[in-house]
Amino acid sequence: MDACAALRLHLAWGVDEALATTPRDQLTPLPPPLEAVARPGIPEDGATARAWKLANSAATRDELRRRLADFDGCVLRATATNLVFADGNPDAGLVLIGEAPGAEEDRSGLPFVGPSGQLLDTMLASIGLDRRKFLITNILPWRPPGNRTPTDQEIALCLPFLIRHLVLLRPRYVLLLGAMATRALTGTTQGISRLRGRWTKVDVPGLPAPVAALPTYHPAYLLRTAAAKRDAWRDLLLLRRTLSS
Ligand code: URA
């Protein structure tokens, strides 16, 4: 591991002073984990069928991006400034999937460039990863106005494009950032605190075999919940072990 990157991560997480010569767990007892809000199944309708057809007709990532940019079936497109498609290395075999662009992503057209993205960069640097070593994208390519929670309908309309993106990328591993990405890709309504930290399989229609997926906490949640950082760090170590095995 890069010791400097690990130290930088500790600094970013507020560990900026040595208080004792032996480590002490300041976090026990932990508060009960936050459960993700259970949602009903993701709905399918005519507009969703159109989204699947459009997405599946894209033969390349560029084409997929163009199809998505032209897709007028999702209301989020009307209020967003930019389409936020993806960033990073499409050939890396690792895809990180977040939820939806925030204000800075909407302005720049790039995923995870705001405060959550900065935390994510620091966390990933601590295990030797940067954007040349993975691709990063979101369930939704448009910012929901005021960062409101997207509806199930909006997720259903955007999911075909993400699924097609995964088919074109053929990743070996995906890291699912947060409850929404985990639920949209695995179909489970269990809380992220139960699902995180264990590899699972995601069926991607169009790929010959399921993809290994690791759910973990969303960096925005980590910015609000110091106690969850310990588990997030464990998840990253598991990711690193898997990638180097
Ligand atoms: N949060 C996300 O889930 N995605 C982004 O791109 C930025 C913040």
Side-chain angles (χ1 to χ4, degrees):
M1 187 197 318
D2 180 346
C4 288
L7 280 175
R8 270 195 297 277
L9 176 66
H10 279 81
L11 201 56
W13 283 1
V15 184
D16 57 1
E17 226 177 314
L19 295 177
T21 50
T22 51
R24 185 170 147 214
D25 183 358
Q26 308 279 0
L27 299 172
T28 310
L30 288 172
L34 256 192
E35 290 297 318
V37 181
R39 292 156 168 273
I42 292 176
E44 295 272 332
D45 61 13
T48 320
R50 192 159 71 84
W52 279 112
K53 203 163 162 210
L54 202 60
N56 286 340
S57 66
T60 64
R61 295 183 62 238
D62 278 350
E63 216 177 296
L64 183 66
R65 190 196 174 107
R66 281 198 300 276
R67 299 263 148 95
L68 185 54
D70 291 343
F71 177 57
D72 60 6
C74 180
V75 290
L76 297 178
R77 176 175 176 260
T79 48
T81 309
N82 280 301
L83 172 79
V84 179
F85 185 62
D87 190 27
N89 180 353
D91 303 316
L94 170 66
V95 176
L96 272 59
I97 302 174
E99 297 186 351
E104 292 181 45
E105 291 79 15
D106 184 50
R107 262 194 298 278
S108 66
L110 290 169
F112 283 99
V113 291
S116 295
Q118 282 153 24
L119 173 62
L120 187 65
D121 285 347
T122 319
M123 288 165 58
L124 291 167
S126 73
I127 58 160
L129 288 182
D130 63 48
R131 289 185 191 212
R132 287 163 303 170
K133 295 188 181 142
F134 57 83
L135 184 115
I136 190 159
T137 187
N138 283 307
I139 299 290
L140 297 175
W142 296 288
R143 180 192 186 204
N147 296 342
R148 70 159 166 77
T149 305
T151 65
D152 286 340
Q153 174 71 9
E154 287 158 356
I155 295 173
L157 286 165
C158 297
L159 200 57
F161 296 92
L162 175 67
I163 295 290
R164 184 65 188 162
H165 202 172
L166 291 174
V167 170
L168 296 170
L169 291 164
R170 297 181 171 270
R172 227 171 138 201
Y173 304 106
V174 295
L175 185 69
L176 301 172
L177 299 168
M180 188 210 290
T182 301
R183 179 190 160 232
L185 268 293
T186 65
T188 173
T189 52
Q190 269 190 3
I192 184 68
S193 56
R194 295 243 174 90
L195 298 169
R196 58 143 285 276
R198 268 179 296 132
W199 285 100
T200 181
K201 299 261 182 213
V202 166
D203 281 316
V204 179
L207 284 182
V211 178
L214 181 63
T216 189
Y217 289 123
H218 192 284
Y221 176 67
L222 297 176
L223 285 172
R224 299 189 303 269
T225 317
K229 288 172 178 170
R230 181 171 69 170
D231 285 338
W233 173 243
R234 287 193 182 127
D235 300 347
L236 287 183
L237 294 180
L238 173 61
L239 175 67
R240 193 192 60 184
R241 272 201 308 279
T242 308
L243 292 178
S244 54
S245 67

Short mmCIF file of all heavy atoms in Angstrom, two decimals, residues 24-51:
data_model
loop_
_atom_site.label_atom_id
_atom_site.label_comp_id
_atom_site.label_asym_id
_atom_site.label_seq_id
_atom_site.Cartn_x
_atom_site.Cartn_y
_atom_site.Cartn_z
N ARG A 24 -6.66 3.39 19.80
CA ARG A 24 -7.83 3.21 20.65
C ARG A 24 -9.07 3.39 19.79
O ARG A 24 -9.15 4.34 19.01
CB ARG A 24 -7.79 4.26 21.75
CG ARG A 24 -8.88 4.09 22.75
CD ARG A 24 -8.66 5.00 23.96
NE ARG A 24 -9.95 5.40 24.47
CZ ARG A 24 -10.20 6.57 25.02
NH1 ARG A 24 -9.26 7.46 25.12
NH2 ARG A 24 -11.40 6.86 25.45
N ASP A 25 -10.03 2.47 19.95
CA ASP A 25 -11.25 2.55 19.15
C ASP A 25 -12.20 3.57 19.77
O ASP A 25 -12.79 3.34 20.80
CB ASP A 25 -11.92 1.16 19.12
CG ASP A 25 -13.15 1.16 18.24
OD1 ASP A 25 -13.50 2.23 17.71
OD2 ASP A 25 -13.76 0.10 18.09
N GLN A 26 -12.30 4.73 19.11
CA GLN A 26 -13.15 5.80 19.65
C GLN A 26 -14.61 5.60 19.27
O GLN A 26 -15.47 6.37 19.68
CB GLN A 26 -12.70 7.16 19.07
CG GLN A 26 -11.23 7.46 19.22
CD GLN A 26 -10.88 8.00 20.61
OE1 GLN A 26 -11.74 8.15 21.46
NE2 GLN A 26 -9.60 8.27 20.82
N LEU A 27 -14.86 4.60 18.49
CA LEU A 27 -16.18 4.53 17.86
C LEU A 27 -17.13 3.53 18.53
O LEU A 27 -18.26 3.40 18.13
CB LEU A 27 -16.02 4.13 16.39
CG LEU A 27 -15.20 5.12 15.58
CD1 LEU A 27 -14.92 4.56 14.20
CD2 LEU A 27 -15.95 6.43 15.46
N THR A 28 -16.65 2.84 19.57
CA THR A 28 -17.52 1.85 20.20
C THR A 28 -18.25 2.49 21.38
O THR A 28 -17.63 3.21 22.15
CB THR A 28 -16.67 0.68 20.71
OG1 THR A 28 -15.83 0.25 19.65
CG2 THR A 28 -17.52 -0.49 21.16
N PRO A 29 -19.53 2.30 21.63
CA PRO A 29 -20.40 1.49 20.79
C PRO A 29 -20.88 2.28 19.58
O PRO A 29 -21.11 3.46 19.67
CB PRO A 29 -21.58 1.19 21.72
CG PRO A 29 -21.62 2.36 22.65
CD PRO A 29 -20.20 2.84 22.81
N LEU A 30 -20.99 1.59 18.46
CA LEU A 30 -21.44 2.23 17.24
C LEU A 30 -22.95 2.44 17.28
O LEU A 30 -23.67 1.62 17.84
CB LEU A 30 -21.11 1.35 16.03
CG LEU A 30 -19.64 1.26 15.64
CD1 LEU A 30 -19.47 0.22 14.57
CD2 LEU A 30 -19.18 2.61 15.13
N PRO A 31 -23.43 3.52 16.68
CA PRO A 31 -24.88 3.67 16.56
C PRO A 31 -25.43 2.62 15.61
O PRO A 31 -24.68 2.08 14.80
CB PRO A 31 -25.04 5.07 15.95
CG PRO A 31 -23.74 5.35 15.30
CD PRO A 31 -22.69 4.59 16.03
N PRO A 32 -26.71 2.27 15.72
CA PRO A 32 -27.25 1.28 14.79
C PRO A 32 -27.10 1.75 13.36
O PRO A 32 -27.21 2.96 13.10
CB PRO A 32 -28.74 1.19 15.17
CG PRO A 32 -29.01 2.37 16.02
CD PRO A 32 -27.71 2.84 16.60
N PRO A 33 -26.77 0.86 12.40
CA PRO A 33 -26.57 1.31 11.03
C PRO A 33 -27.85 1.86 10.41
O PRO A 33 -28.94 1.42 10.76
CB PRO A 33 -26.14 0.02 10.31
CG PRO A 33 -26.55 -1.09 11.20
CD PRO A 33 -26.61 -0.57 12.58
N LEU A 34 -27.65 2.83 9.55
CA LEU A 34 -28.80 3.39 8.84
C LEU A 34 -29.28 2.41 7.80
O LEU A 34 -28.51 1.95 6.98
CB LEU A 34 -28.35 4.65 8.09
CG LEU A 34 -28.70 6.00 8.63
CD1 LEU A 34 -28.41 7.05 7.57
CD2 LEU A 34 -30.15 6.07 9.03
N GLU A 35 -30.52 2.09 7.81
CA GLU A 35 -31.07 1.20 6.78
C GLU A 35 -31.47 2.02 5.56
O GLU A 35 -31.95 3.15 5.70
CB GLU A 35 -32.32 0.49 7.31
CG GLU A 35 -32.03 -0.53 8.38
CD GLU A 35 -31.15 -1.67 7.86
OE1 GLU A 35 -31.38 -2.14 6.75
OE2 GLU A 35 -30.23 -2.07 8.59
N ALA A 36 -31.25 1.45 4.40
CA ALA A 36 -31.73 2.13 3.19
C ALA A 36 -33.26 2.09 3.21
O ALA A 36 -33.84 1.17 3.76
CB ALA A 36 -31.22 1.42 1.97
N VAL A 37 -33.87 3.11 2.66
CA VAL A 37 -35.33 3.12 2.58
C VAL A 37 -35.75 2.03 1.60
O VAL A 37 -35.29 1.98 0.47
CB VAL A 37 -35.81 4.49 2.06
CG1 VAL A 37 -37.32 4.55 1.98
CG2 VAL A 37 -35.26 5.59 2.95
N ALA A 38 -36.62 1.13 2.06
CA ALA A 38 -37.09 0.06 1.17
C ALA A 38 -37.97 0.67 0.09
O ALA A 38 -38.78 1.55 0.36
CB ALA A 38 -37.87 -0.96 1.98
N ARG A 39 -37.75 0.24 -1.13
CA ARG A 39 -38.55 0.78 -2.23
C ARG A 39 -39.30 -0.35 -2.90
O ARG A 39 -38.86 -1.48 -2.87
CB ARG A 39 -37.63 1.39 -3.30
CG ARG A 39 -36.93 2.62 -2.87
CD ARG A 39 -35.69 2.75 -3.73
NE ARG A 39 -35.08 4.05 -3.59
CZ ARG A 39 -35.42 5.09 -4.32
NH1 ARG A 39 -36.36 4.98 -5.22
NH2 ARG A 39 -34.82 6.22 -4.16
N PRO A 40 -40.41 -0.01 -3.53
CA PRO A 40 -41.10 -1.05 -4.31
C PRO A 40 -40.27 -1.41 -5.54
O PRO A 40 -39.27 -0.75 -5.84
CB PRO A 40 -42.41 -0.37 -4.72
CG PRO A 40 -42.13 1.09 -4.65
CD PRO A 40 -41.06 1.27 -3.60
N GLY A 41 -40.66 -2.45 -6.26
CA GLY A 41 -39.91 -2.87 -7.45
C GLY A 41 -39.84 -1.75 -8.49
O GLY A 41 -40.70 -0.90 -8.54
N ILE A 42 -38.78 -1.76 -9.27
CA ILE A 42 -38.61 -0.72 -10.28
C ILE A 42 -39.63 -0.93 -11.42
O ILE A 42 -39.72 -2.01 -11.97
CB ILE A 42 -37.16 -0.75 -10.81
CG1 ILE A 42 -36.23 -0.32 -9.67
CG2 ILE A 42 -36.99 0.15 -12.01
CD1 ILE A 42 -34.76 -0.39 -10.01
N PRO A 43 -40.45 0.09 -11.70
CA PRO A 43 -41.52 -0.10 -12.67
C PRO A 43 -41.04 -0.16 -14.13
O PRO A 43 -40.01 0.39 -14.46
CB PRO A 43 -42.39 1.15 -12.47
CG PRO A 43 -41.44 2.19 -11.96
CD PRO A 43 -40.38 1.46 -11.18
N GLU A 44 -41.79 -0.82 -14.95
CA GLU A 44 -41.49 -0.90 -16.39
C GLU A 44 -42.72 -0.40 -17.13
O GLU A 44 -43.84 -0.74 -16.78
CB GLU A 44 -41.23 -2.36 -16.80
CG GLU A 44 -40.01 -2.99 -16.17
CD GLU A 44 -38.73 -2.76 -16.98
OE1 GLU A 44 -38.83 -2.60 -18.20
OE2 GLU A 44 -37.66 -2.73 -16.36
N ASP A 45 -42.57 0.40 -18.16
CA ASP A 45 -43.72 0.80 -18.98
C ASP A 45 -43.25 1.06 -20.41
O ASP A 45 -42.14 0.68 -20.78
CB ASP A 45 -44.42 2.03 -18.38
CG ASP A 45 -43.46 3.23 -18.33
OD1 ASP A 45 -42.39 3.17 -18.96
OD2 ASP A 45 -43.81 4.22 -17.66
N GLY A 46 -44.10 1.73 -21.21
CA GLY A 46 -43.78 1.93 -22.62
C GLY A 46 -42.50 2.75 -22.83
O GLY A 46 -41.68 2.44 -23.68
N ALA A 47 -42.36 3.78 -21.99
CA ALA A 47 -41.17 4.64 -22.12
C ALA A 47 -39.91 3.83 -21.78
O ALA A 47 -38.85 4.01 -22.39
CB ALA A 47 -41.29 5.85 -21.20
N THR A 48 -40.05 2.93 -20.81
CA THR A 48 -38.89 2.10 -20.44
C THR A 48 -38.54 1.15 -21.58
O THR A 48 -37.36 0.93 -21.87
CB THR A 48 -39.20 1.30 -19.16
OG1 THR A 48 -39.92 2.14 -18.27
CG2 THR A 48 -37.94 0.82 -18.49
N ALA A 49 -39.57 0.60 -22.22
CA ALA A 49 -39.34 -0.30 -23.35
C ALA A 49 -38.58 0.45 -24.46
O ALA A 49 -37.66 -0.08 -25.10
CB ALA A 49 -40.66 -0.84 -23.87
N ARG A 50 -38.96 1.72 -24.66
CA ARG A 50 -38.28 2.55 -25.68
C ARG A 50 -36.82 2.77 -25.28
O ARG A 50 -35.90 2.72 -26.11
CB ARG A 50 -39.02 3.89 -25.80
CG ARG A 50 -38.60 4.73 -26.99
CD ARG A 50 -39.68 5.74 -27.34
NE ARG A 50 -39.80 6.81 -26.37
CZ ARG A 50 -39.06 7.91 -26.33
NH1 ARG A 50 -38.11 8.09 -27.23
NH2 ARG A 50 -39.25 8.83 -25.42
N ALA A 51 -36.60 2.98 -23.98
CA ALA A 51 -35.22 3.19 -23.50
C ALA A 51 -34.38 1.93 -23.74
O ALA A 51 -33.23 2.02 -24.19
CB ALA A 51 -35.24 3.55 -22.02
#
